[in-house]
Amino acid sequence: MDDATTSNDIRLREGSSIAQRLVKAGFAAAVALCFTPGLFTHDTMEVIISAVALLVGAAIVCGIMLAPAVVWIITPNEILIGHQRPFGRLRSRIVAKDEIRGLQVPGSKIAKARFQLAFTLASGERLTSPPISDVTHVRETVARIAAQFDVPDVESPVNPVDATNPEMHLGEPIEPFSGRDIWIVASVVAVLGAAPYAYKLWRGLPPGRVDIILLPVGALAAFAVYKLANRVTGAFWVIRQGDIRIERLWGDGSLRADHIEGRDVKTIAVERRGRSEDEHCIVVIRLQSGQRFRSPRIGSRLEARAVGAEIVRRLAIAPENSQI
């Protein structure tokens, strides 16, 4: 269930689907099974390492499959909390309005556009909700909850993608690396490529084919670091009413800024960039010219869809071009 915007109830949900759990558990199991051959060797250390890896893998698989699903339903008078494990019974709890004494909205260290509700009860207990999925209306949601529970002095969260901001920000402002740092890294890469060849010469041994191949490879890698280091600093999106400014860096550290307007957009969609839909979803915009822009990482699919929907609204993108 997602945040409800069409009723007086606000619904928050946390917990992966069975399909997502199976994918994560399968990946962890596959990594653990790679250590299985070590169990059949005569080396005691390899046997110990393999046994520990298998035990850790089994623990991770169990943790993934047994992680609970949590649902909060926030009504004007109470909070209903449901807690259920995949093979367990549903456990519920009701927190009445008069039990609530305080409300805070801590941000996430993993994703800047992620917020949870932390309620302090009269007993001193602290309850933390699942994340708010509609991240573009966090301030509105928090103000509404604070008003209906009569909680005073609730600090408004700093939300870079809130719809009330004149400018929504995705990512961090970019700065070029210093020339000194780039030279140091490029030099280290070049030295590492030449080290095997130099070592053979120092020992009076004939360099092997791999040692010779590493010389140009190291030089090319060092050149790539020197030329492209600033290109990996990512992008910074500034989303305004009517356009998006995308800031990136050229290889020499100079700023490159692209502007996108609604009429330029051919499609806008949410994609996963990584293994997890809970952490690695982004907004992808494809222009009429064929050029494609990928946003900095936003978070879960629901959070990315909320940001994408606000981009569609601000740029007045035609409905047929939106795949959000």
Side-chain angles (χ1 to χ4, degrees):
M1 288 177 283
D2 310 327
D3 304 355
T5 58
T6 58
S7 71
N8 290 329
D9 296 348
I10 298 174
R11 299 173 182 244
L12 308 174
R13 183 183 184 278
E14 186 174 36
S16 302
S17 66
I18 294 297
Q20 291 175 331
R21 291 171 191 262
L22 289 175
V23 170
K24 295 177 183 178
F27 179 78
V31 173
L33 290 175
C34 291
F35 291 87
T36 302
L39 296 174
F40 304 100
T41 64
H42 299 288
D43 189 320
T44 304
M45 183 58 66
E46 286 194 23
V47 172
I48 293 174
I49 293 174
S50 298
V52 171
L54 288 173
L55 290 174
V56 171
I60 293 175
V61 170
C62 291
I64 292 173
M65 294 305 298
L66 297 178
V70 180
V71 177
W72 279 39
I73 303 176
I74 304 175
T75 71
N77 298 311
E78 63 188 14
I79 302 173
L80 175 62
I81 302 174
H83 186 282
Q84 185 177 28
R85 295 188 181 275
F87 307 105
R89 298 180 59 184
L90 175 65
R91 293 187 297 167
S92 61
R93 175 182 179 182
I94 295 178
V95 179
K97 176 179 178 178
D98 55 10
E99 295 182 55
I100 298 173
R101 293 292 182 271
L103 171 61
Q104 293 178 311
V105 191
S108 171
K109 296 181 180 179
I110 299 175
K112 293 189 70 174
R114 177 167 297 173
F115 299 89
Q116 296 172 284
L117 304 170
F119 291 93
T120 303
L121 306 186
S123 63
E125 183 182 2
R126 184 181 172 92
L127 295 177
T128 302
S129 76
I132 301 173
S133 60
D134 190 356
V135 292
T136 60
H137 292 85
V138 173
R139 291 175 187 159
E140 177 185 338
T141 300
V142 171
R144 173 181 165 188
I145 293 173
Q148 69 187 32
F149 288 146
D150 298 326
V151 182
D153 304 324
V154 177
E155 185 177 354
S156 181
V158 178
N159 181 12
V161 296
D162 206 282
T164 59
N165 298 338
E167 294 183 348
M168 295 168 57
H169 295 165
L170 292 179
E172 299 287 345
I174 52 177
E175 294 182 0
F177 294 111
S178 69
R180 177 175 174 272
D181 292 340
I182 294 176
W183 270 108
I184 291 175
V185 175
S187 300
V188 169
V189 171
V191 169
L192 290 175
Y197 186 89
Y199 175 77
K200 291 289 183 66
L201 292 181
W202 179 64
R203 294 294 300 273
L205 301 173
R209 181 180 299 177
V210 175
D211 304 323
I212 296 174
I213 292 176
L214 284 177
L215 286 174
V217 170
L220 288 174
F223 180 77
V225 169
Y226 175 74
K227 284 293 186 180
L228 303 177
N230 286 311
R231 299 288 293 271
V232 301
T233 53
F236 179 56
W237 284 32
V238 181
I239 305 163
R240 299 173 291 204
Q241 191 68 37
D243 80 308
I244 301 176
R245 174 184 170 90
I246 300 177
E247 298 180 356
R248 295 176 292 175
L249 294 178
W250 293 107
D252 61 0
S254 59
L255 181 67
R256 172 184 176 180
D258 294 285
H259 291 268
I260 299 176
E261 297 183 1
R263 62 175 179 270
D264 303 326
V265 177
K266 183 176 183 180
T267 59
I268 177 171
V270 171
E271 293 183 4
R272 183 179 66 189
R273 195 171 192 178
R275 295 189 300 272
S276 172
E277 286 195 1
D278 296 330
E279 302 292 344
H280 298 93
C281 288
I282 59 174
V283 171
V284 179
I285 295 178
R286 185 178 179 184
L287 304 186
Q288 302 287 353
S289 63
Q291 193 174 8
R292 182 174 297 184
F293 292 91
R294 293 179 173 85
S295 76
R297 189 187 71 177
I298 298 172
S300 70
R301 181 169 290 273
L302 289 175
E303 292 162 348
R305 287 182 65 186
V307 173
E310 181 62 17
I311 292 175
V312 169
R313 188 192 69 79
R314 290 196 175 201
L315 270 62
I317 296 174
E320 60 270 18
N321 296 338
S322 174
Q323 300 174 4
I324 299 298

Short mmCIF file of all heavy atoms in Angstrom, two decimals, residues 67-124:
data_model
loop_
_atom_site.label_atom_id
_atom_site.label_comp_id
_atom_site.label_asym_id
_atom_site.label_seq_id
_atom_site.Cartn_x
_atom_site.Cartn_y
_atom_site.Cartn_z
N ALA A 67 12.39 -11.50 6.67
CA ALA A 67 12.20 -10.09 7.02
C ALA A 67 10.71 -9.75 7.02
O ALA A 67 9.97 -10.18 6.13
CB ALA A 67 12.94 -9.19 6.03
N PRO A 68 10.23 -8.99 8.00
CA PRO A 68 8.79 -8.73 8.11
C PRO A 68 8.31 -7.66 7.12
O PRO A 68 9.09 -6.83 6.66
CB PRO A 68 8.65 -8.23 9.55
CG PRO A 68 9.97 -7.59 9.85
CD PRO A 68 11.00 -8.41 9.11
N ALA A 69 7.04 -7.72 6.81
CA ALA A 69 6.36 -6.65 6.08
C ALA A 69 5.61 -5.81 7.09
O ALA A 69 4.94 -6.34 7.98
CB ALA A 69 5.41 -7.24 5.04
N VAL A 70 5.74 -4.50 6.98
CA VAL A 70 5.14 -3.59 7.95
C VAL A 70 4.20 -2.63 7.22
O VAL A 70 4.57 -2.08 6.18
CB VAL A 70 6.22 -2.80 8.72
CG1 VAL A 70 5.57 -1.86 9.73
CG2 VAL A 70 7.19 -3.73 9.41
N VAL A 71 3.03 -2.44 7.75
CA VAL A 71 2.05 -1.50 7.19
C VAL A 71 1.55 -0.58 8.29
O VAL A 71 1.17 -1.05 9.37
CB VAL A 71 0.87 -2.26 6.55
CG1 VAL A 71 -0.17 -1.27 6.04
CG2 VAL A 71 1.33 -3.14 5.41
N TRP A 72 1.57 0.71 8.01
CA TRP A 72 0.98 1.70 8.92
C TRP A 72 -0.22 2.35 8.22
O TRP A 72 -0.14 2.73 7.06
CB TRP A 72 1.99 2.80 9.24
CG TRP A 72 2.99 2.45 10.29
CD1 TRP A 72 3.61 1.26 10.48
CD2 TRP A 72 3.51 3.34 11.30
NE1 TRP A 72 4.49 1.33 11.52
CE2 TRP A 72 4.45 2.59 12.05
CE3 TRP A 72 3.27 4.66 11.63
CZ2 TRP A 72 5.14 3.16 13.11
CZ3 TRP A 72 3.97 5.23 12.68
CH2 TRP A 72 4.89 4.48 13.43
N ILE A 73 -1.33 2.46 8.96
CA ILE A 73 -2.50 3.21 8.49
C ILE A 73 -2.74 4.33 9.49
O ILE A 73 -3.11 4.07 10.64
CB ILE A 73 -3.74 2.31 8.36
CG1 ILE A 73 -3.46 1.14 7.41
CG2 ILE A 73 -4.93 3.12 7.86
CD1 ILE A 73 -4.60 0.15 7.31
N ILE A 74 -2.51 5.55 9.06
CA ILE A 74 -2.62 6.71 9.94
C ILE A 74 -3.97 7.38 9.67
O ILE A 74 -4.20 7.93 8.59
CB ILE A 74 -1.47 7.70 9.70
CG1 ILE A 74 -0.12 6.99 9.89
CG2 ILE A 74 -1.58 8.89 10.63
CD1 ILE A 74 1.08 7.86 9.56
N THR A 75 -4.84 7.33 10.64
CA THR A 75 -6.17 7.95 10.54
C THR A 75 -6.17 9.22 11.40
O THR A 75 -5.22 9.46 12.16
CB THR A 75 -7.25 6.97 11.03
OG1 THR A 75 -7.14 6.83 12.45
CG2 THR A 75 -7.10 5.60 10.38
N PRO A 76 -7.22 10.03 11.34
CA PRO A 76 -7.25 11.25 12.16
C PRO A 76 -7.20 11.00 13.66
O PRO A 76 -6.83 11.90 14.42
CB PRO A 76 -8.57 11.92 11.75
CG PRO A 76 -8.83 11.41 10.37
CD PRO A 76 -8.32 10.01 10.36
N ASN A 77 -7.54 9.79 14.12
CA ASN A 77 -7.64 9.55 15.56
C ASN A 77 -6.67 8.49 16.09
O ASN A 77 -6.54 8.34 17.30
CB ASN A 77 -9.06 9.12 15.92
CG ASN A 77 -10.09 10.19 15.60
OD1 ASN A 77 -9.90 11.35 15.97
ND2 ASN A 77 -11.14 9.82 14.90
N GLU A 78 -6.03 7.76 15.21
CA GLU A 78 -5.16 6.68 15.68
C GLU A 78 -4.22 6.21 14.57
O GLU A 78 -4.37 6.61 13.41
CB GLU A 78 -5.99 5.49 16.17
CG GLU A 78 -6.83 4.86 15.07
CD GLU A 78 -7.79 3.81 15.58
OE1 GLU A 78 -8.01 3.75 16.80
OE2 GLU A 78 -8.33 3.06 14.73
N ILE A 79 -3.26 5.37 14.99
CA ILE A 79 -2.35 4.74 14.04
C ILE A 79 -2.50 3.23 14.20
O ILE A 79 -2.34 2.70 15.31
CB ILE A 79 -0.89 5.14 14.30
CG1 ILE A 79 -0.71 6.67 14.22
CG2 ILE A 79 0.04 4.47 13.29
CD1 ILE A 79 0.68 7.13 14.63
N LEU A 80 -2.81 2.57 13.10
CA LEU A 80 -2.92 1.11 13.11
C LEU A 80 -1.65 0.55 12.48
O LEU A 80 -1.31 0.89 11.34
CB LEU A 80 -4.15 0.65 12.33
CG LEU A 80 -4.31 -0.86 12.15
CD1 LEU A 80 -4.45 -1.56 13.49
CD2 LEU A 80 -5.50 -1.17 11.25
N ILE A 81 -0.94 -0.30 13.22
CA ILE A 81 0.33 -0.86 12.77
C ILE A 81 0.16 -2.37 12.57
O ILE A 81 -0.24 -3.08 13.50
CB ILE A 81 1.46 -0.59 13.78
CG1 ILE A 81 1.61 0.93 13.99
CG2 ILE A 81 2.77 -1.19 13.30
CD1 ILE A 81 2.60 1.28 15.08
N GLY A 82 0.44 -2.84 11.37
CA GLY A 82 0.41 -4.26 11.07
C GLY A 82 1.82 -4.76 10.81
O GLY A 82 2.60 -4.11 10.11
N HIS A 83 2.13 -5.93 11.38
CA HIS A 83 3.49 -6.48 11.30
C HIS A 83 3.35 -7.97 11.03
O HIS A 83 2.77 -8.70 11.83
CB HIS A 83 4.21 -6.22 12.63
CG HIS A 83 5.65 -6.61 12.63
ND1 HIS A 83 6.07 -7.91 12.77
CD2 HIS A 83 6.78 -5.85 12.54
CE1 HIS A 83 7.39 -7.94 12.76
NE2 HIS A 83 7.85 -6.71 12.61
N GLN A 84 3.90 -8.43 9.88
CA GLN A 84 3.75 -9.84 9.53
C GLN A 84 4.99 -10.38 8.85
O GLN A 84 5.53 -9.75 7.94
CB GLN A 84 2.53 -10.04 8.61
CG GLN A 84 2.23 -11.51 8.30
CD GLN A 84 0.99 -11.66 7.46
OE1 GLN A 84 0.63 -10.76 6.70
NE2 GLN A 84 0.31 -12.79 7.60
N ARG A 85 5.43 -11.56 9.30
CA ARG A 85 6.52 -12.27 8.63
C ARG A 85 5.93 -13.20 7.59
O ARG A 85 4.76 -13.58 7.67
CB ARG A 85 7.36 -13.03 9.65
CG ARG A 85 8.07 -12.11 10.63
CD ARG A 85 9.06 -12.86 11.52
NE ARG A 85 9.71 -11.94 12.45
CZ ARG A 85 10.77 -11.21 12.16
NH1 ARG A 85 11.31 -11.30 10.95
NH2 ARG A 85 11.31 -10.40 13.05
N PRO A 86 6.74 -13.61 6.58
CA PRO A 86 6.19 -14.42 5.49
C PRO A 86 5.46 -15.68 5.94
O PRO A 86 4.49 -16.08 5.31
CB PRO A 86 7.45 -14.77 4.67
CG PRO A 86 8.39 -13.64 4.93
CD PRO A 86 8.14 -13.24 6.35
N PHE A 87 5.91 -16.31 7.02
CA PHE A 87 5.28 -17.55 7.45
C PHE A 87 4.65 -17.41 8.83
O PHE A 87 4.42 -18.40 9.53
CB PHE A 87 6.30 -18.69 7.45
CG PHE A 87 7.02 -18.83 6.14
CD1 PHE A 87 8.33 -18.39 6.01
CD2 PHE A 87 6.38 -19.36 5.04
CE1 PHE A 87 9.00 -18.51 4.80
CE2 PHE A 87 7.04 -19.48 3.82
CZ PHE A 87 8.35 -19.05 3.70
N GLY A 88 4.38 -16.18 9.22
CA GLY A 88 3.81 -15.95 10.54
C GLY A 88 2.45 -15.29 10.47
O GLY A 88 1.94 -14.95 9.41
N ARG A 89 1.85 -15.11 11.62
CA ARG A 89 0.54 -14.48 11.72
C ARG A 89 0.69 -12.96 11.77
O ARG A 89 1.72 -12.43 12.18
CB ARG A 89 -0.19 -14.97 12.96
CG ARG A 89 -0.47 -16.47 12.97
CD ARG A 89 -1.20 -16.88 14.24
NE ARG A 89 -2.48 -16.17 14.37
CZ ARG A 89 -3.29 -16.28 15.42
NH1 ARG A 89 -2.94 -17.07 16.45
NH2 ARG A 89 -4.43 -15.63 15.46
N LEU A 90 -0.35 -12.29 11.35
CA LEU A 90 -0.37 -10.83 11.38
C LEU A 90 -0.49 -10.36 12.82
O LEU A 90 -1.38 -10.80 13.56
CB LEU A 90 -1.54 -10.31 10.56
CG LEU A 90 -1.75 -8.79 10.60
CD1 LEU A 90 -0.59 -8.06 9.97
CD2 LEU A 90 -3.06 -8.41 9.91
N ARG A 91 0.41 -9.48 13.22
CA ARG A 91 0.34 -8.86 14.54
C ARG A 91 -0.01 -7.39 14.36
O ARG A 91 0.61 -6.70 13.54
CB ARG A 91 1.68 -9.00 15.28
CG ARG A 91 2.03 -10.45 15.65
CD ARG A 91 3.25 -10.50 16.52
NE ARG A 91 4.43 -9.98 15.80
CZ ARG A 91 5.58 -9.66 16.38
NH1 ARG A 91 5.71 -9.76 17.69
NH2 ARG A 91 6.59 -9.22 15.66
N SER A 92 -0.98 -6.93 15.09
CA SER A 92 -1.43 -5.55 14.94
C SER A 92 -1.35 -4.80 16.26
O SER A 92 -1.35 -5.39 17.34
CB SER A 92 -2.87 -5.52 14.41
OG SER A 92 -3.74 -6.16 15.31
N ARG A 93 -1.29 -3.49 16.11
CA ARG A 93 -1.23 -2.62 17.29
C ARG A 93 -1.91 -1.32 16.94
O ARG A 93 -1.80 -0.82 15.81
CB ARG A 93 0.23 -2.37 17.69
CG ARG A 93 0.40 -1.38 18.83
CD ARG A 93 1.86 -1.14 19.14
NE ARG A 93 2.03 -0.18 20.21
CZ ARG A 93 3.20 0.25 20.66
NH1 ARG A 93 4.33 -0.21 20.13
NH2 ARG A 93 3.27 1.13 21.64
N ILE A 94 -2.60 -0.75 17.90
CA ILE A 94 -3.28 0.54 17.71
C ILE A 94 -2.67 1.55 18.68
O ILE A 94 -2.57 1.31 19.88
CB ILE A 94 -4.79 0.41 17.96
CG1 ILE A 94 -5.42 -0.51 16.91
CG2 ILE A 94 -5.45 1.78 17.91
CD1 ILE A 94 -6.90 -0.75 17.11
N VAL A 95 -2.25 2.68 18.10
CA VAL A 95 -1.72 3.79 18.90
C VAL A 95 -2.74 4.91 18.85
O VAL A 95 -3.00 5.49 17.78
CB VAL A 95 -0.36 4.26 18.36
CG1 VAL A 95 0.16 5.44 19.20
CG2 VAL A 95 0.65 3.12 18.35
N ALA A 96 -3.34 5.22 19.99
CA ALA A 96 -4.37 6.26 20.04
C ALA A 96 -3.76 7.65 19.95
O ALA A 96 -2.58 7.86 20.28
CB ALA A 96 -5.17 6.12 21.33
N LYS A 97 -4.58 8.59 19.55
CA LYS A 97 -4.13 9.98 19.37
C LYS A 97 -3.58 10.57 20.66
O LYS A 97 -2.56 11.28 20.64
CB LYS A 97 -5.32 10.81 18.86
CG LYS A 97 -5.06 12.29 18.72
CD LYS A 97 -6.29 12.99 18.19
CE LYS A 97 -6.07 14.50 18.07
NZ LYS A 97 -7.27 15.18 17.50
N ASP A 98 -4.22 10.30 21.80
CA ASP A 98 -3.79 10.91 23.06
C ASP A 98 -2.51 10.31 23.61
O ASP A 98 -1.97 10.79 24.61
CB ASP A 98 -4.91 10.83 24.11
CG ASP A 98 -5.38 9.39 24.33
OD1 ASP A 98 -4.73 8.46 23.83
OD2 ASP A 98 -6.41 9.21 25.02
N GLU A 99 -1.97 9.25 22.98
CA GLU A 99 -0.70 8.68 23.40
C GLU A 99 0.50 9.39 22.78
O GLU A 99 1.63 9.24 23.24
CB GLU A 99 -0.62 7.19 23.04
CG GLU A 99 -1.61 6.30 23.74
CD GLU A 99 -1.42 4.85 23.35
OE1 GLU A 99 -0.28 4.35 23.50
OE2 GLU A 99 -2.38 4.22 22.87
N ILE A 100 0.26 10.17 21.72
CA ILE A 100 1.35 10.76 20.95
C ILE A 100 1.74 12.11 21.55
O ILE A 100 0.90 12.98 21.79
CB ILE A 100 0.93 10.94 19.48
CG1 ILE A 100 0.64 9.57 18.86
CG2 ILE A 100 2.00 11.67 18.68
CD1 ILE A 100 0.05 9.64 17.48
N ARG A 101 3.03 12.26 21.81
CA ARG A 101 3.54 13.48 22.43
C ARG A 101 4.49 14.26 21.52
O ARG A 101 4.69 15.45 21.70
CB ARG A 101 4.30 13.14 23.73
CG ARG A 101 3.40 12.59 24.82
CD ARG A 101 2.46 13.67 25.33
NE ARG A 101 1.60 13.19 26.41
CZ ARG A 101 0.42 12.63 26.23
NH1 ARG A 101 -0.06 12.50 24.98
NH2 ARG A 101 -0.32 12.22 27.24
N GLY A 102 5.09 13.61 20.57
CA GLY A 102 6.05 14.31 19.71
C GLY A 102 6.17 13.65 18.35
O GLY A 102 5.81 12.49 18.17
N LEU A 103 6.66 14.42 17.37
CA LEU A 103 6.83 13.91 16.01
C LEU A 103 8.08 14.54 15.40
O LEU A 103 8.27 15.76 15.45
CB LEU A 103 5.61 14.25 15.14
CG LEU A 103 5.73 13.98 13.63
CD1 LEU A 103 5.97 12.50 13.38
CD2 LEU A 103 4.49 14.48 12.90
N GLN A 104 8.93 13.68 14.86
CA GLN A 104 10.11 14.13 14.13
C GLN A 104 10.12 13.44 12.77
O GLN A 104 9.49 12.39 12.58
CB GLN A 104 11.39 13.81 14.89
CG GLN A 104 11.55 14.60 16.19
CD GLN A 104 12.82 14.22 16.93
OE1 GLN A 104 13.10 13.05 17.14
NE2 GLN A 104 13.58 15.22 17.33
N VAL A 105 10.87 14.00 11.83
CA VAL A 105 10.95 13.45 10.48
C VAL A 105 12.41 13.29 10.10
O VAL A 105 12.98 14.15 9.42
CB VAL A 105 10.21 14.34 9.46
CG1 VAL A 105 10.06 13.61 8.13
CG2 VAL A 105 8.86 14.76 9.99
N PRO A 106 13.05 12.21 10.56
CA PRO A 106 14.46 12.02 10.22
C PRO A 106 14.64 11.64 8.76
O PRO A 106 13.83 10.91 8.18
CB PRO A 106 14.89 10.87 11.15
CG PRO A 106 13.62 10.11 11.41
CD PRO A 106 12.52 11.13 11.41
N GLY A 107 15.70 12.16 8.16
CA GLY A 107 16.04 11.78 6.79
C GLY A 107 16.86 10.50 6.78
O GLY A 107 17.24 9.96 7.81
N SER A 108 17.13 10.02 5.59
CA SER A 108 17.89 8.78 5.42
C SER A 108 19.32 9.09 5.00
O SER A 108 19.56 10.02 4.24
CB SER A 108 17.22 7.89 4.37
OG SER A 108 18.04 6.79 4.04
N LYS A 109 20.25 8.29 5.51
CA LYS A 109 21.65 8.44 5.09
C LYS A 109 21.89 7.77 3.75
O LYS A 109 22.87 8.06 3.07
CB LYS A 109 22.57 7.83 6.15
CG LYS A 109 22.53 8.54 7.49
CD LYS A 109 23.47 7.90 8.49
CE LYS A 109 23.43 8.63 9.84
NZ LYS A 109 24.34 8.00 10.84
N ILE A 110 20.99 6.86 3.35
CA ILE A 110 21.16 6.14 2.09
C ILE A 110 20.66 6.97 0.92
O ILE A 110 21.32 7.10 -0.10
CB ILE A 110 20.41 4.79 2.15
CG1 ILE A 110 20.98 3.92 3.27
CG2 ILE A 110 20.51 4.06 0.82
CD1 ILE A 110 20.22 2.63 3.48
N ALA A 111 19.48 7.55 1.06
CA ALA A 111 18.88 8.35 -0.01
C ALA A 111 18.38 9.65 0.59
O ALA A 111 17.61 9.65 1.55
CB ALA A 111 17.74 7.58 -0.68
N LYS A 112 18.79 10.78 0.01
CA LYS A 112 18.40 12.08 0.56
C LYS A 112 16.90 12.32 0.43
O LYS A 112 16.31 13.02 1.23
CB LYS A 112 19.18 13.19 -0.13
CG LYS A 112 20.68 13.18 0.16
CD LYS A 112 21.35 14.42 -0.38
CE LYS A 112 20.94 15.65 0.41
NZ LYS A 112 21.68 16.85 -0.01
N ALA A 113 16.29 11.73 -0.61
CA ALA A 113 14.85 11.91 -0.81
C ALA A 113 14.09 10.76 -0.15
O ALA A 113 13.31 10.06 -0.80
CB ALA A 113 14.53 11.98 -2.30
N ARG A 114 14.34 10.55 1.12
CA ARG A 114 13.63 9.50 1.86
C ARG A 114 13.41 9.97 3.29
O ARG A 114 14.35 10.42 3.95
CB ARG A 114 14.42 8.20 1.84
CG ARG A 114 13.76 7.08 2.66
CD ARG A 114 14.38 5.74 2.36
NE ARG A 114 14.17 5.38 0.97
CZ ARG A 114 14.72 4.32 0.40
NH1 ARG A 114 15.53 3.54 1.09
NH2 ARG A 114 14.48 4.05 -0.87
N PHE A 115 12.17 9.85 3.75
CA PHE A 115 11.83 10.36 5.07
C PHE A 115 10.90 9.38 5.78
O PHE A 115 10.08 8.72 5.15
CB PHE A 115 11.16 11.73 4.97
CG PHE A 115 12.04 12.78 4.34
CD1 PHE A 115 12.04 12.96 2.97
CD2 PHE A 115 12.87 13.55 5.12
CE1 PHE A 115 12.86 13.91 2.39
CE2 PHE A 115 13.70 14.51 4.55
CZ PHE A 115 13.69 14.68 3.18
N GLN A 116 11.05 9.31 7.09
CA GLN A 116 10.19 8.49 7.92
C GLN A 116 9.61 9.33 9.05
O GLN A 116 10.16 10.39 9.40
CB GLN A 116 10.99 7.30 8.50
CG GLN A 116 11.49 6.33 7.45
CD GLN A 116 12.42 5.29 8.03
OE1 GLN A 116 13.58 5.57 8.32
NE2 GLN A 116 11.93 4.07 8.20
N LEU A 117 8.51 8.86 9.62
CA LEU A 117 7.88 9.55 10.74
C LEU A 117 8.31 8.87 12.03
O LEU A 117 8.18 7.65 12.17
CB LEU A 117 6.35 9.48 10.59
CG LEU A 117 5.77 10.02 9.29
CD1 LEU A 117 4.29 9.68 9.18
CD2 LEU A 117 5.98 11.53 9.19
N ALA A 118 8.83 9.65 12.96
CA ALA A 118 9.26 9.11 14.26
C ALA A 118 8.37 9.72 15.35
O ALA A 118 8.50 10.91 15.66
CB ALA A 118 10.73 9.43 14.51
N PHE A 119 7.48 8.91 15.90
CA PHE A 119 6.56 9.37 16.93
C PHE A 119 7.12 9.04 18.32
O PHE A 119 7.64 7.94 18.55
CB PHE A 119 5.20 8.69 16.79
CG PHE A 119 4.44 9.11 15.56
CD1 PHE A 119 4.55 8.40 14.38
CD2 PHE A 119 3.60 10.22 15.60
CE1 PHE A 119 3.83 8.78 13.26
CE2 PHE A 119 2.89 10.60 14.48
CZ PHE A 119 3.01 9.89 13.30
N THR A 120 7.00 10.00 19.23
CA THR A 120 7.34 9.78 20.63
C THR A 120 6.04 9.66 21.43
O THR A 120 5.19 10.56 21.36
CB THR A 120 8.20 10.93 21.18
OG1 THR A 120 9.38 11.07 20.39
CG2 THR A 120 8.59 10.65 22.63
N LEU A 121 5.90 8.55 22.17
CA LEU A 121 4.67 8.30 22.92
C LEU A 121 4.79 8.80 24.35
O LEU A 121 5.89 9.13 24.83
CB LEU A 121 4.35 6.80 22.90
CG LEU A 121 4.27 6.14 21.52
CD1 LEU A 121 3.81 4.70 21.67
CD2 LEU A 121 3.36 6.92 20.58
N ALA A 122 3.67 8.85 25.03
CA ALA A 122 3.65 9.30 26.42
C ALA A 122 4.50 8.40 27.30
O ALA A 122 5.06 8.87 28.31
CB ALA A 122 2.20 9.33 26.93
N SER A 123 4.63 7.15 26.95
CA SER A 123 5.45 6.21 27.73
C SER A 123 6.94 6.39 27.50
O SER A 123 7.75 5.77 28.18
CB SER A 123 5.05 4.77 27.37
OG SER A 123 5.33 4.51 26.00
N GLY A 124 7.31 7.24 26.55
CA GLY A 124 8.71 7.42 26.19
C GLY A 124 9.14 6.55 25.02
O GLY A 124 10.25 6.72 24.51
#
